[in-house]
């Protein structure tokens, strides 16, 4: 079984959310085609096109938004407005990179690299990561992962010691390299601010910082990952047993999900970071919540790891005749 940082973070944040998203594979069926998350995904694709395939990132965005406008004609106005922000972000980024020489000593080794590596001490469990870029520094002779972020601020640059995603990537990077592998040197965070760049907006709009965790930090992070991966494995075994033995009987499932996969509500967070906020209370009040989920039409089942199979650039390269 392969476990990503997202799955580990979801389980750590709220076991019920993990159960719904990762065990049952439920996702909202009516996610809008615009918004901060999908904008970030499209900007990532534009940068992947630029660094991996020498495509103009504005061309990539134009194609992605045109495809989405065809698929979701009711959202055309919002899509065109969002495209403008995205194109401003990437064109300004290219100017910034040219002015500052940020890319001068970095050679791109891979884009969107999918990595899987055995978790030490837990046979059969793999750690799974997709790194935006792997780069080789001609200055230091070391490999790093480089992560593109789109955000309103640069706050995440100032709390790197707390960042579980980058510690997870650093662990994967170290395990992949092995004791005799190429020298690796942590990561680089590269943030494009999500702003329109009007006269009133204030620069800077771009920032890049390298970081590295020491061995003690990485061992502590590995211990955390190992502990949570063990809990996930145990939770899956209990759920498999309950569904197989009791055939999904709601009483039996509820007894388990309430006791072992209890919710961890943080009211202010749940409202904006959980797609299950509408169904969550029904899981504790005797309702037929699986029936409600199905009948509402607001959720569908999907593979929570589908993201790893997605290749948004495929359609773009075909449309641009550069497949
Ligand atoms: S709404 Fe909150 S408590 Fe309920 S599943 Fe989501 S994160 Fe957990």
């Amino acid at each position: 079984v392969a476990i990503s940082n997202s799955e580990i973070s979801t389980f750590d944040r709220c076991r019920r959310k993990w159960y719904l998203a990762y065990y049952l594979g439920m996702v909202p069926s009516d996610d809008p085609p615009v918004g901060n998350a999908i904008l970030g995904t499209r900007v990532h694709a534009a940068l992947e096109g630029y660094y991996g395939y020498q495509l103009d990132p504005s061309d990539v965005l134009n194609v992605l938004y045109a495809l989405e406008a065809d698929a979701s004609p009711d959202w055309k106005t919002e899509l065109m407005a969002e495209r403008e922000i995205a194109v401003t972000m990437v064109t300004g980024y290219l100017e910034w990179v040219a002015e500052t020489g940020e890319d001068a000593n970095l050679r791109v080794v891979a884009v969107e690299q999918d990595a899987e590596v055995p978790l030490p001490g837990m046979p059969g469990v793999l750690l799974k990561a997709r790194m935006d870029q792997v780069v080789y520094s001609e200055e230091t002779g070391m490999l790093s992962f480089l992560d593109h972020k789109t955000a309103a601020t640069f706050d995440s640059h100032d709390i790197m010691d707390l960042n579980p995603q980058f510690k997870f990537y650093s662990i994967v990077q170290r395990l992949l390299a092995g004791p005799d592998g190429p020298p690796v040197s942590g990561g680089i965070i590269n943030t494009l601010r999500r702003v329109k760049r009007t006269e009133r907006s204030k620069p800077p709009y771009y920032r890049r910082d390298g970081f590295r965790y020491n061995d003690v930090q990485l061992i502590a992070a590995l211990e955390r990952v190992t502990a949570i991966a063990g809990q996930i494995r145990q939770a899956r075994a209990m759920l498999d047993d309950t569904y197989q033995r009791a055939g999904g009987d709601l009483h039996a499932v509820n007894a388990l999900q309430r006791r072992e996969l209890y919710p961890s509500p943080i009211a202010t967070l749940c409202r904006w970071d959980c797609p299950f906020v509408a169904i969550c209370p029904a899981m504790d009040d005797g309702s037929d919540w699986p029936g409600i989920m199905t009948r509402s039409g607001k959720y569908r089942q999907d593979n929570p790891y589908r993201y790893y199979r997605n290749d948004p650039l495929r359609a773009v390269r075909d449309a641009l005749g550069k497949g």
Side-chain angles (χ1 to χ4, degrees), residues 13-14 16-17 20 263-266 270 273-274 276-277 280:
R13 163 69 187 88
C14 175
R16 174 170 288 175
K17 187 178 177 186
L20 292 168
S264 301
I266 304 174
C270 290
D273 88 336
C274 182
F276 307 113
V277 68
C280 181

Side-chain angles (χ1 to χ4, degrees), residues 18-26 243 283 289 293 301-302:
W18 171 86
Y19 164 56
L20 292 168
Y22 281 90
Y23 189 81
L24 296 182
M26 303 308 290
Y243 276 97
M283 297 174 77
W289 59 267
M293 280 189 108
Q301 267 188 313
D302 201 352

Side-chain angles (χ1 to χ4, degrees), residues 141-186:
M142 297 181 110
L143 289 174
S144 304
F145 58 87
L146 189 149
D147 201 78
H148 301 299
K149 296 271 182 225
T150 54
T153 68
F154 298 122
D155 288 355
S156 53
H157 289 239
D158 301 325
I159 48 169
M160 301 303 287
D161 285 346
L162 282 173
N163 189 311
Q165 179 195 7
F166 292 146
K167 286 183 179 167
F168 187 92
Y169 285 5
S170 298
I171 292 168
V172 170
Q173 182 189 48
R174 282 284 193 97
L175 292 172
L176 275 177
D180 306 318
V184 293
S185 83

Side-chain angles (χ1 to χ4, degrees), residues 216-239:
V216 180
Q217 286 174 300
L218 288 185
I219 289 168
L222 182 58
E223 284 171 348
R224 171 180 172 273
V225 164
T226 305
I228 299 173
Q231 291 164 23
I232 290 175
R233 192 163 65 168
Q234 196 182 2
R236 281 192 180 277
M238 286 190 293
L239 284 162

Side-chain angles (χ1 to χ4, degrees), residues 221-267:
L222 182 58
E223 284 171 348
R224 171 180 172 273
V225 164
T226 305
I228 299 173
Q231 291 164 23
I232 290 175
R233 192 163 65 168
Q234 196 182 2
R236 281 192 180 277
M238 286 190 293
L239 284 162
D240 287 350
D241 181 62
T242 302
Y243 276 97
Q244 276 155 22
R245 195 169 33 78
D249 170 68
L250 190 55
H251 184 70
V253 169
N254 275 345
L256 177 69
Q257 65 93 359
R258 289 175 190 159
R259 188 181 66 244
E260 303 292 341
L261 301 165
Y262 46 80
S264 301
I266 304 174

Side-chain angles (χ1 to χ4, degrees), residues 12 15 34 41 96 117 151 161 166 173 205 222 264 288:
D12 196 30
R15 291 164 183 229
V34 293
T41 302
W96 175 75
V117 63
D161 285 346
F166 292 146
Q173 182 189 48
Y205 302 113
L222 182 58
S264 301
D288 169 21

